[in-house]
Amino acid sequence: MRRNLISFLILVLIILLINFLAKKQVIQEIFNTKKINKIIIINNNYISEELLFSKLNIKEGQSFWSFNPLSLKLKLDSIKEIESYKFRLGWNGTLKIRIEEKKPNMLWIFDNIKKYIDNEGNVLEFKIENSKQKIITLIGENANIKIKELTATLKNYKNIFSEIEQISLDKKLGWQIKLNDSNCIFLPLKKLDILIDIFDDIYKSDLYKKFDYFDFRVLGRVYMSNEKC
C-alpha cells in the first residue's frame, strides 16, 4: 500500500513538472516573440517623423519588454520642438505618442534660408513647406540671437507687437520694424525700453495717423516723415 502511494506521488510530481516546463516554455516564447509592432506619432504637423525617430531611438520590431518609459520621457523632454506629450504602449504592441508642438515665435530668414525660431531665438527643426503659420518675419545675420531683448520689450506693448509684420536687423543701422499698415519704425540696438515707450505714446495719439516713418536712432530726437519702408 505504501509503495503504491509513493509511486502515485512520484507520478503526480512528474506530471506537475512536465506541466511546469511546458508552461515555462510557452511563457519564454511569449517573452522572446512579443514586439513593439507599431509606433504611431499623433499631431506632428511640422516635425517630421524621421526627426522624431532619430531622436527617440525607438523602432518597430524591438522587444516589447525592453521598452523603458522613463528613457522615452527623458528623450521627449530633450526635444525643443515639443511643448508637451503623452504616450502609451498597449498590450497589442502599439506605441502611441501624442505631441503638442511648440508654437514658433518668428520665421527667420538669412541668405535665402528660412528657419523657425522660438522665444529664445533657438532654431526649431520644423518643416517650412506648405506651412500655414502666420507669424513675424525676422531678417538679418544673427538676428535670431539679437531678437530676444527686442521681443522681451515689445511684448509689454501688445497693441504694437500684434501689428508687427516684419523685423529686420542691420548691424550698423539697427532695427527696422514694419507694421501691418506698412508704417516703419527704426530703433537703435540699445535703450529699447525707453524708445518703445515713447513710440507707444505716439501710436496712441493722432500724430501716428499723420506719418508713415518713425526714426528713433538719434537719441533724444524722433524723426517723422511720410517715407515708405
Side-chain angles (χ1 to χ4, degrees):
M1 183 72 180
R2 186 176 179 182
R3 287 183 179 178
N4 290 338
L5 180 59
I6 293 173
S7 297
F8 176 75
L9 290 174
I10 291 173
L11 179 60
V12 170
L13 289 173
I14 291 172
I15 293 172
L16 290 174
L17 179 62
I18 292 172
N19 285 335
F20 171 76
L21 293 174
K23 289 179 180 179
K24 183 179 179 182
Q25 185 176 359
V26 170
I27 293 172
Q28 190 65 43
E29 287 179 359
I30 292 174
F31 271 84
N32 290 338
T33 59
K34 195 163 183 61
K35 307 288 185 183
I36 296 176
N37 54 55
K38 185 181 291 186
I39 301 173
I40 301 174
I41 308 292
I42 303 171
N43 206 34
N44 58 313
N45 298 308
Y46 298 105
I47 309 174
S48 69
E49 287 193 357
E50 292 77 12
L51 174 67
L52 286 172
F53 284 133
S54 68
K55 293 189 175 184
L56 296 178
N57 195 27
I58 54 174
K59 59 183 179 180
E60 294 178 0
Q62 74 179 61
S63 171
F64 181 94
W65 311 104
S66 67
F67 175 71
N68 186 333
L70 178 58
S71 176
L72 179 57
K73 180 181 183 304
L74 291 173
K75 287 172 181 175
L76 285 166
D77 285 340
S78 70
I79 299 175
K80 63 181 180 297
E81 289 81 8
I82 295 178
E83 187 71 38
S84 61
Y85 59 83
K86 292 180 180 178
F87 61 83
R88 180 179 180 275
L89 177 59
W91 181 249
N92 63 356
T94 299
L95 173 61
K96 292 183 179 180
I97 305 173
R98 177 180 290 275
I99 64 172
E100 291 296 330
E101 297 171 321
K102 185 178 290 185
K103 188 179 185 331
N105 186 45
M106 295 182 183
L107 177 64
W108 174 42
I109 303 175
F110 177 64
D111 278 349
N112 295 319
I113 298 174
K114 298 180 180 180
K115 296 285 186 180
Y116 283 120
I117 58 173
D118 64 13
N119 292 329
E120 301 297 316
N122 298 313
V123 172
L124 302 172
E125 296 186 62
F126 281 167
K127 294 179 288 186
I128 303 292
E129 311 84 51
N130 304 319
S131 172
K132 297 179 181 179
Q133 298 278 0
K134 293 183 179 180
I135 54 178
I136 296 170
T137 299
L138 177 66
I139 300 173
E141 182 181 2
N142 295 324
N144 64 313
I145 298 172
K146 303 284 188 180
I147 193 62
K148 185 177 178 181
E149 182 184 355
L150 177 60
T151 301
T153 304
L154 284 169
K155 285 191 173 180
N156 294 322
Y157 302 88
K158 294 182 180 179
N159 57 328
I160 298 172
F161 189 74
S162 63
E163 293 300 317
I164 295 176
E165 177 184 319
Q166 180 178 293
I167 301 175
S168 301
L169 173 65
D170 186 295
K171 291 180 180 179
K172 295 180 180 179
L173 301 178
W175 294 106
Q176 177 188 354
I177 302 174
K178 183 179 179 181
L179 303 182
N180 288 325
D181 60 7
S182 296
N183 284 4
C184 273
I185 313 163
F186 281 87
L187 296 166
L189 299 177
K190 298 180 179 180
K191 298 188 177 182
L192 295 171
D193 53 343
I194 298 173
L195 298 175
I196 292 174
D197 192 59
I198 294 172
F199 176 74
D200 184 53
D201 290 336
I202 296 173
Y203 187 73
K204 293 174 181 176
S205 71
D206 291 336
L207 190 62
Y208 179 77
K209 299 175 184 178
K210 298 178 180 180
F211 299 98
D212 303 316
Y213 182 101
F214 304 86
D215 194 337
F216 292 82
R217 288 173 295 180
V218 178
L219 296 179
R221 295 178 57 188
V222 181
Y223 174 74
M224 291 179 281
S225 74
N226 287 315
E227 296 179 41
K228 298 297 182 181
C229 283

